[in-house]
Amino acid sequence: RKEVEQDPGPFNVPEGATVAFNCTYSNSASQSFFWYRQDCRKEPKLLMSVYSSGNEDGRFTAQLNRASQYISLLIRDSKLSDSATYLCVPHLGYGQNFVFGPGTRLSVLP
Amino acid sequence: DGGITQSPKYLFRKEGQNVTLSCEQNLNHDAMYWYRQDPGQGLRLIYYSQIVNDFQKGDIAEGYSVSREKKESFPLTVTSAQKNPTAFYLCASGPGTVAHTEAFFGQGTRLTVV
């Protein structure tokens, strides 16, 4: 089993739609979790940190289920500018490394 | 302005040459990382460092070397032993504390072997 698995996508959705991405991780010792977005040929940028069962930031909601080793990202009222690849990133804790998922590509269509 | 700076943005290398990619941060971050990304692929860890004068190999360290002589700097050398070096190289830094483990990326260096 891969360390991090994500919906392969691509997801093509109309503006205003709600879309959800799923991510599973294999290492139960993972301490913290992040969602990054990466635009084409650019660096990843931190979208959200997920430290407890989940949190919300505007149109974005992240959920964490440690028992199932599952993380999700929900985007409401999609904008054209949301088009990007979304990376699920567990972290093993202080002094350890990040494990980047392969990413899920989202295209929001006018 | 605080941030993490990679240079150059584009780099061309002849086969058999060593090249060094620069990564500097003024965020007072303890942790620094180097990743490689190939087209359509995810990020793979080359090396990381949690403290000055110490660094650890990542998943694909062969053909690469690093140093961490200063907190602000974590240069990556791509040696001639790296057989397929053409890729997008990303440097990241983070606070590296128990409470805050997130990482922030530089704009990357695109290396092409000609």
Side-chain angles (χ1 to χ4, degrees), chain B residues 46-61:
Chain B
I46 305 173
Y47 271 97
Y48 66 105
S49 169
Q50 295 289 336
I51 196 170
V52 174
N53 291 323
D54 187 49
F55 47 83
Q56 309 295 326
K57 289 183 178 180
D59 300 318
I60 56 166

Side-chain angles (χ1 to χ4, degrees), chain A residues 32 34 36 38 41-44 46 49 51 87 91 93-98 100-102, chain B residues 33 35 37 43 45 48 50 88 90 96-107 110:
Chain A
S32 50
F34 306 96
Y36 282 78
Q38 186 175 24
R41 298 177 67 83
K42 299 285 189 179
E43 76 276 20
L46 182 65
S49 304
Y51 288 105
L87 307 171
H91 190 269
Y94 176 70
Q96 301 298 317
N97 180 33
F98 297 89
F100 280 83
Chain B
Y33 310 83
Y35 291 90
Q37 189 174 35
L43 277 69
L45 181 69
Y48 66 105
Q50 295 289 336
F88 187 37
L90 288 157
T97 66
V98 174
H100 295 284
T101 57
E102 63 272 21
F104 302 92
F105 285 84
Q107 292 186 315
R110 292 197 178 276

Side-chain angles (χ1 to χ4, degrees), chain B residues 25 28-32 52 68-74:
Chain B
Q25 54 98 359
N28 200 34
H29 285 168
D30 284 316
M32 297 189 75
V52 174
R68 188 84 188 276
E69 297 177 1
K70 298 186 300 181
K71 189 175 185 178
E72 302 80 16
S73 178
F74 192 40

Side-chain angles (χ1 to χ4, degrees), chain A residues 48 55-61 74-76:
Chain A
M48 294 182 75
N55 47 289
E56 184 174 318
D57 182 3
R59 299 183 293 109
F60 300 86
T61 300
L74 181 77
I75 304 175
R76 291 180 297 277

Side-chain angles (χ1 to χ4, degrees), chain B:
Chain B
D1 288 337
I4 179 166
T5 303
Q6 289 186 242
S7 61
K9 191 171 181 179
Y10 299 95
L11 185 58
F12 297 89
R13 188 195 93 171
K14 293 182 179 179
E15 285 192 32
Q17 283 184 335
N18 292 357
V19 289
T20 297
L21 282 57
S22 171
C23 179
E24 304 276 335
Q25 54 98 359
N26 60 4
L27 300 166
N28 200 34
H29 285 168
D30 284 316
M32 297 189 75
Y33 310 83
W34 273 106
Y35 291 90
R36 168 181 173 143
Q37 189 174 35
D38 293 284
Q41 304 297 313
L43 277 69
R44 292 185 291 167
L45 181 69
I46 305 173
Y47 271 97
Y48 66 105
S49 169
Q50 295 289 336
I51 196 170
V52 174
N53 291 323
D54 187 49
F55 47 83
Q56 309 295 326
K57 289 183 178 180
D59 300 318
I60 56 166
E62 187 175 349
Y64 300 97
S65 65
V66 292
S67 62
R68 188 84 188 276
E69 297 177 1
K70 298 186 300 181
K71 189 175 185 178
E72 302 80 16
S73 178
F74 192 40
L76 173 74
T77 297
V78 184
T79 75
S80 56
Q82 171 50 237
K83 297 305 179 189
N84 186 21
T86 295
F88 187 37
Y89 290 87
L90 288 157
C91 179
S93 72
T97 66
V98 174
H100 295 284
T101 57
E102 63 272 21
F104 302 92
F105 285 84
Q107 292 186 315
T109 293
R110 292 197 178 276
L111 174 63
T112 303
V113 173
V114 296

